[in-house]
Amino acid sequence: MRLCPAPLRLSRTPALLAMALPLAVALAFSDETLDKVPKSEGYCSRILRAQGTRREGYTEFSLRVEGDPDFYKPGTSYRVTLSAAPPSYFRGFTLIALKENREGDKEEDHAGTFQIIDEEETQFMSNCPVAVTESTPRRRTRIQVFWIAPPAGTGCVILKASIVQKRIIYFQDEGSLTKKLCEQDSTFDGVTDKPILDCCACGTAKYRLTFYGNWSEKTHPKDYPRRANHWSAIIGGSHSKNYVLWEYGGYASEGVKQVAELGSPVKMEEEIRQQSDEVLTVIKAKAQWPAWQPLNVRAAPSAEFSVDRTRHLMSFLTMMGPSPDWNVGLSAEDLCTKECGWVQKVVQDLIPWDAGTDSGVTYESPNKPTIPQEKIRPLTSLDHPQSPFYDPEGGSITQVARVVIERIARKGEQCNIVPDNVDDIVADLAPEEKDEDDTPETCIYSNWSPWSACSSSTCDKGKRMRQRMLKAQLDLSVPCPDTQDFQPCMGPGCSDEDGSTCTMSEWITWSPCSISCGMGMRSRERYVKQFPEDGSVCTLPTEETEKCTVNEECSPSSCLMTEWGEWDECSATCGMGMKKRHRMIKMSPADGSMCKAETSQAEKCMMPECHTIPCLLSPWSEWSDCSVTCGKGMRTRQRMLKSLAELGDCNEDLEQVEKCMLPECPIDCELTEWSQWSECNKSCGKGHMIRTRIIQMEPQFGGAPCPETVQRKKCRIRKCLRNPSIQKLRWREARESRRSEQLKEESEGEQFPGCRMRPWTAWSECTKLCGGGIQERYMTVKKRFKSSQFTSCKDKKEIRACNVHPC
């Protein structure tokens, strides 16, 4: 259905043509607004300068990027939402992404690329392919597209939207219709996106993983399951890069599926132990019922594990229960540093992710298997309106847990270039006692009570006891161990060991120095592993501090640098080449002088001999032109095989094909055939006749404009007499003459050869009230003589134009 009458064509409204918006033919803009639009022929500049009235503090429209980030990661896809707060709405919009401080009148001013989600709602603009606009003009309150961030080095980007509502264009340069995103530093990369490098560390390191659940009715009130909320048993391992327990973008194994849907770690542990060569330690920690408890009531679940040079990655997961298949965890967390040492501490906030095996959308949704299985992905606040994490504005999900991984000891000779301290280099792990708890996961206990006093008050052997309470037995077929534990003991003063001995943990690594240049302080901590059996207080210190010096020759002219980055790839694919590495200035000299330290290094690198490489390829050629001159097409690029075929097979692709989009193809105006000429509009004197035709298709995307739809020509019947009485007499005589002729024809019945026809019917009602309609009348056969031929005696029909005045 068209929203405006035919007279509002582009050919009659030059100001609309200057704006070049697709809605120009669908909405009637005020002349006052359009006259203010400057004309420009630059790249996409017509859109950028098509500004209308803008109100201060105008917040009923908003532009949001999913998660409300302040930074973007190069090459990453982000969901962008343009919405109106009810009862407001918009009919059309324009969405662009510009590099900061750029005008947008050049192609290189635009950053990143948009990706259409719903082609019925959105499309690329025909006269500005980097911008997104509506597919059809209609009332709407929200649209969504994807924006793929530009490559590294682009800098800050401004996402900007315009809104078409009623008859005025709102184009906002600041506020709720503008979003600024700056490039994210590489140090903020996600876990599964980081390239995994070979580890150069020596010896081994021991870590403690502690899991702090933050999923509670207070932090996540929507539909929070008050009954049976819990975290399942933690399962994971320290492993090599050749084994992946789980990762975003991958598919869940059977073990991961059982943890995700049932909270059972049995199958997952079996899968991990089958990879014995790739796994150093299986990580296990108990389930947590309920999901959140104060730390003074119950200690957070924890587990210890070790890593070495080949198995330096750590992964784990735990189910959020109840839920369809929602979990939290870490995937391939690298604990090896590029300085050939071991990470001191990792603190990571966790949000839930979907295993892709169940399609439920609420905590307690019934089982609904996802067929086919989907890839593992993080949950978002826009997944489903019934989701407990749903946010119509696309905000970030509040973290549900935090994991702390802290190094507690190192063993063997260490080779890290910059050691944390001398103690860490020479310290070995003490022989560890096996303290494996075989309690089934289906048995939920309270913590053990303190040991009781010894039953013997003399030097005879006695017993001491501790106990715990069975809180829940999830599987009645699996027996739960005793709730009491006994241990032999001797009376006071008879023990070979001093009953007042306090057992301490090893010192945790020194903290960083308090200053970045000169003399400062650092500290380290330890904790009490076992309190004295006689109940006395531990007096050993749990914290130490000492002085530390960073850059002993620190002076106003000192220059503080970052560590060297990784070496770039070798410049040659075979033979001798060069590689570079870089570092940055962390702190410039205080006296304002120039930093003399070098920021880049280069060295030679040797690749395999060239004749041993079976597949050498030329660089990709430039992309070919699009296969079409308008609309959607394809383009290709090629590369050539440079190595000789006899040196080996080369399975690399030599041609790539991708889609390309050019401005929409022009559509010319289409019209019906001309109608018959109407009767003369005068009964005497000079008059005119008209004929009309109807527009079937309006021109689009620069097609040929519509020609005239109404034609007139002069007609003259007879001169009009000046004397009105004589003229009336002539009209009366003419009318009587026509009447007599009509009666004669009816009596004779020979209006057409071989036929006697009935008189003409009255004209039908006009098909339109204005703008040119049609009337019809008919003459039917009354009698056909035997001598007549069928083709010469048939019903007659006449058509004439009516109501030709404009609407």
Side-chain angles (χ1 to χ4, degrees):
M1 185 179 78
R2 301 189 183 279
L3 301 178
C4 64
L8 268 175
R9 289 200 296 267
L10 290 177
S11 59
R12 301 186 182 184
T13 316
L16 284 178
L17 190 60
M19 293 180 63
L21 284 170
L23 283 169
V25 296
L27 296 174
F29 302 110
S30 63
D31 294 337
E32 181 182 355
T33 302
L34 297 174
D35 292 340
K36 298 177 182 178
V37 178
K39 297 181 180 180
S40 173
E41 299 299 329
Y43 186 85
C44 295
S45 58
R46 294 175 177 176
I47 301 167
L48 295 169
R49 295 183 175 87
Q51 302 181 4
T53 305
R54 186 178 66 215
R55 305 175 189 170
E56 294 297 331
Y58 204 73
T59 58
E60 61 184 281
F61 303 112
S62 64
L63 178 68
R64 297 289 300 274
V65 178
E66 182 177 0
D68 291 329
D70 294 322
F71 301 92
Y72 69 85
K73 182 179 175 183
T76 301
S77 179
Y78 296 89
R79 191 193 304 257
V80 178
T81 303
L82 184 61
S83 60
S88 298
Y89 64 89
F90 56 96
R91 293 184 180 274
F93 71 94
T94 304
L95 185 59
I96 57 173
L98 295 176
K99 296 176 184 176
E100 190 175 26
N101 299 322
R102 297 293 185 92
E103 295 296 326
D105 52 1
K106 302 174 184 175
E107 184 174 1
E108 56 269 22
D109 290 356
H110 296 258
T113 55
F114 288 103
Q115 183 177 333
I116 300 300
I117 296 177
D118 187 351
E119 292 185 353
E120 294 183 0
E121 285 286 334
T122 54
Q123 67 177 4
F124 293 104
M125 295 195 69
S126 59
N127 59 338
C128 183
V130 294
V132 177
T133 189
E134 76 288 340
S135 295
T136 56
R138 64 174 182 80
R139 288 193 178 196
R140 51 172 57 82
T141 58
R142 189 175 74 165
I143 63 93
Q144 290 185 344
V145 296
F146 283 122
W147 177 67
I148 295 88
T154 303
C156 294
V157 176
I158 308 296
L159 292 171
K160 186 184 294 188
S162 65
I163 288 292
V164 181
Q165 185 204 38
K166 298 181 181 178
R167 302 189 175 203
I168 304 174
I169 297 178
Y170 297 93
F171 200 99
Q172 197 146 336
D173 293 325
E174 296 176 354
S176 60
L177 288 179
T178 295
K179 176 70 176 177
K180 178 179 178 180
L181 297 176
C182 291
E183 187 174 341
Q184 177 175 293
D185 190 271
S186 60
T187 56
F188 292 95
D189 287 354
V191 173
T192 55
D193 292 332
K194 293 185 294 188
I196 301 174
L197 306 174
D198 290 333
C199 179
C200 58
C202 302
T204 61
K206 186 175 181 181
Y207 287 86
R208 178 180 295 107
L209 177 152
T210 307
F211 181 86
Y212 300 94
N214 189 42
W215 177 46
S216 67
E217 190 171 10
K218 181 178 179 180
T219 59
H220 298 81
K222 183 181 178 183
D223 300 332
Y224 186 80
R226 297 185 178 183
R227 296 182 181 181
N229 59 82
H230 69 282
W231 295 105
S232 74
I234 291 174
I235 183 68
S238 55
H239 57 93
S240 71
K241 65 180 181 179
N242 298 324
Y243 176 46
V244 178
L245 278 72
W246 73 271
E247 65 177 350
Y248 293 145
Y251 290 96
S253 66
E254 184 60 28
V256 172
K257 178 181 177 182
Q258 290 194 14
V259 175
E261 295 185 12
L262 308 175
S264 170
V266 178
K267 182 65 176 179
M268 187 70 187
E269 182 177 351
E270 178 184 337
E271 290 179 353
I272 295 173
R273 294 192 184 278
Q274 287 175 353
Q275 300 286 334
S276 56
D277 293 339
E278 307 296 335
V279 176
L280 181 60
T281 308
V282 177
I283 299 173
K284 298 169 64 178
K286 289 208 171 286
Q288 188 170 355
W289 294 73
W292 183 86
Q293 285 186 2
L295 294 180
N296 60 354
V297 175
R298 182 174 183 178
S302 65
E304 295 182 358
F305 63 96
S306 299
V307 291
D308 62 13
R309 187 169 191 165
T310 57
R311 293 158 293 189
H312 53 95
L313 306 177
M314 187 281 297
S315 302
F316 83 94
L317 69 159
T318 175
M319 174 202 184
M320 172 191 289
S323 72
D325 57 347
W326 300 342
N327 295 251
V328 299
L330 290 181
S331 174
E333 179 70 27
D334 196 348
L335 299 176
C336 182
T337 68
K338 59 185 179 182
E339 293 83 16
C340 302
W342 298 109
V343 172
Q344 179 178 333
K345 190 174 185 179
V346 175
V347 179
Q348 186 81 20
D349 289 325
L350 305 174
I351 62 171
W353 50 267
D354 189 307
T357 60
D358 191 292
S359 300
V361 295
T362 65
Y363 290 125
E364 301 185 59
S365 293
N367 289 336
K368 185 181 179 182
T370 302
I371 301 174
Q373 184 174 334
E374 295 179 351
K375 294 180 179 180
I376 296 173
R377 64 172 183 85
L379 292 178
T380 74
S381 60
L382 293 170
D383 286 335
H384 195 280
Q386 295 180 7
S387 167
F389 308 105
Y390 181 73
D391 178 3
E393 300 300 324
S396 57
I397 293 179
T398 304
Q399 55 95 1
V400 296
R402 170 175 290 182
V403 63
V404 177
I405 304 169
E406 189 170 25
R407 195 181 75 216
I408 56 177
R410 294 195 288 194
K411 182 178 180 181
E413 183 179 358
Q414 302 294 310
C415 58
N416 50 317
I417 300 171
V418 183
D420 293 321
N421 55 34
V422 176
D423 294 338
D424 279 334
I425 299 176
V426 299
D428 288 345
L429 292 174
E432 300 177 28
E433 296 181 2
K434 184 178 180 181
D435 189 19
E436 186 171 345
D437 190 349
D438 296 326
T439 304
E441 297 293 342
T442 56
C443 302
I444 310 301
Y445 290 94
S446 66
N447 290 333
W448 284 108
S449 68
W451 286 106
S452 67
C454 192
S455 61
S456 173
S457 59
T458 65
C459 286
D460 295 330
K461 287 186 177 180
K463 288 184 177 181
R464 61 176 182 172
M465 182 192 73
R466 63 176 181 173
Q467 57 186 358
R468 59 183 175 178
M469 182 177 66
L470 180 62
K471 299 174 66 176
Q473 187 173 358
L474 305 181
D475 189 349
L476 297 178
S477 64
V478 179
C480 291
D482 296 332
T483 57
Q484 292 182 330
D485 188 18
F486 296 91
Q487 190 179 68
C489 62
M490 298 178 69
C494 295
S495 175
D496 292 336
E497 298 180 358
D498 184 2
S500 63
T501 301
C502 192
T503 304
M504 307 294 292
S505 71
E506 297 179 15
W507 287 105
I508 296 174
T509 311
W510 288 104
S511 66
C513 200
S514 60
I515 64 170
S516 58
C517 188
M519 182 71 71
M521 298 296 294
R522 65 176 182 173
S523 63
R524 64 177 182 175
E525 298 176 347
R526 61 180 177 178
Y527 58 92
V528 179
K529 291 184 71 174
Q530 183 174 344
F531 287 91
E533 295 180 2
D534 59 6
S536 59
V537 178
C538 250
T539 58
L540 296 175
T542 58
E543 184 177 3
E544 283 185 350
T545 58
E546 69 174 19
K547 294 180 180 180
C548 56
T549 302
V550 180
N551 189 3
E552 294 182 356
E553 300 177 357
C554 187
S555 66
S557 61
S558 296
C559 183
L560 191 61
M561 308 294 292
T562 62
E563 298 295 332
W564 285 106
E566 297 292 332
W567 286 103
D568 296 338
E569 292 184 2
C570 193
S571 61
T573 56
C574 63
M576 182 69 72
M578 296 295 292
K579 62 180 180 179
K580 293 182 178 181
R581 66 175 182 175
H582 307 274
R583 63 178 179 178
M584 295 185 296
I585 300 173
K586 198 171 183 180
M587 186 177 72
S588 299
D591 59 6
S593 60
M594 294 293 292
C595 208
K596 298 180 180 179
E598 60 180 2
T599 57
S600 62
Q601 286 184 342
E603 67 175 29
K604 296 179 180 179
C605 52
M606 175 62 75
M607 301 298 287
E609 295 184 18
C610 291
H611 65 80
T612 64
I613 298 178
C615 188
L616 286 179
L617 298 164
S618 68
W620 285 106
S621 67
E622 295 294 327
W623 286 104
S624 67
D625 293 335
C626 200
S627 59
V628 297
T629 56
C630 59
K632 296 179 180 179
M634 304 295 291
R635 63 176 187 172
T636 61
R637 65 176 183 176
Q638 295 84 24
R639 59 181 176 181
M640 298 175 58
L641 180 64
K642 297 173 67 176
S643 57
L644 298 176
E646 58 267 18
L647 293 179
D649 294 332
C650 185
N651 298 322
E652 299 291 334
D653 292 334
L654 299 180
E655 185 177 36
Q656 286 184 343
V657 180
E658 73 171 14
K659 296 179 181 179
C660 51
M661 181 71 182
L662 293 176
E664 295 288 349
C665 299
I667 299 176
D668 296 339
C669 179
E670 294 183 8
L671 302 99
T672 62
E673 296 295 328
W674 287 105
S675 67
Q676 293 185 357
W677 288 102
S678 67
E679 293 183 350
C680 193
N681 68 333
K682 298 286 183 66
S683 60
C684 64
K686 294 181 181 180
H688 66 268
M689 298 185 295
I690 65 169
R691 65 175 181 175
T692 61
R693 55 182 174 181
I694 301 171
I695 297 175
Q696 290 184 323
M697 175 69 73
E698 292 281 0
Q700 299 181 46
F701 313 116
C706 291
E708 60 183 356
T709 57
V710 179
Q711 283 186 348
R712 301 187 183 189
K713 70 176 182 179
K714 297 179 179 179
C715 58
R716 184 167 182 174
I717 299 177
R718 59 176 177 275
K719 291 184 178 180
C720 295
L721 299 178
R722 294 183 180 180
N723 189 331
S725 58
I726 298 176
Q727 185 174 355
K728 288 181 180 180
L729 179 62
R730 293 279 179 89
W731 285 351
R732 187 180 300 113
E733 291 175 353
R735 186 165 59 251
E736 291 176 354
S737 175
R738 285 197 302 269
R739 177 62 178 169
S740 62
E741 289 178 2
Q742 183 177 353
L743 293 174
K744 183 179 180 180
E745 289 176 356
E746 291 179 356
S747 61
E748 293 177 355
E750 286 291 329
Q751 182 176 355
F752 294 94
C755 294
R756 180 176 295 168
M757 307 296 291
R758 290 186 175 87
W760 285 103
T761 63
W763 288 103
S764 65
E765 292 186 3
C766 192
T767 58
K768 289 187 178 180
L769 298 177
C770 59
I774 295 174
Q775 287 179 298
E776 298 175 340
R777 69 173 182 175
Y778 302 90
M779 176 188 287
T780 57
V781 176
K782 184 175 183 181
K783 184 176 180 180
R784 181 182 292 107
F785 300 107
K786 293 182 180 180
S787 60
S788 65
Q789 295 182 0
F790 179 78
T791 56
S792 64
C793 187
K794 56 185 178 180
D795 295 343
K796 307 297 180 182
K797 176 182 177 181
E798 284 188 354
I799 299 174
R800 72 178 182 182
C802 57
N803 294 339
V804 295
H805 55 278
C807 293

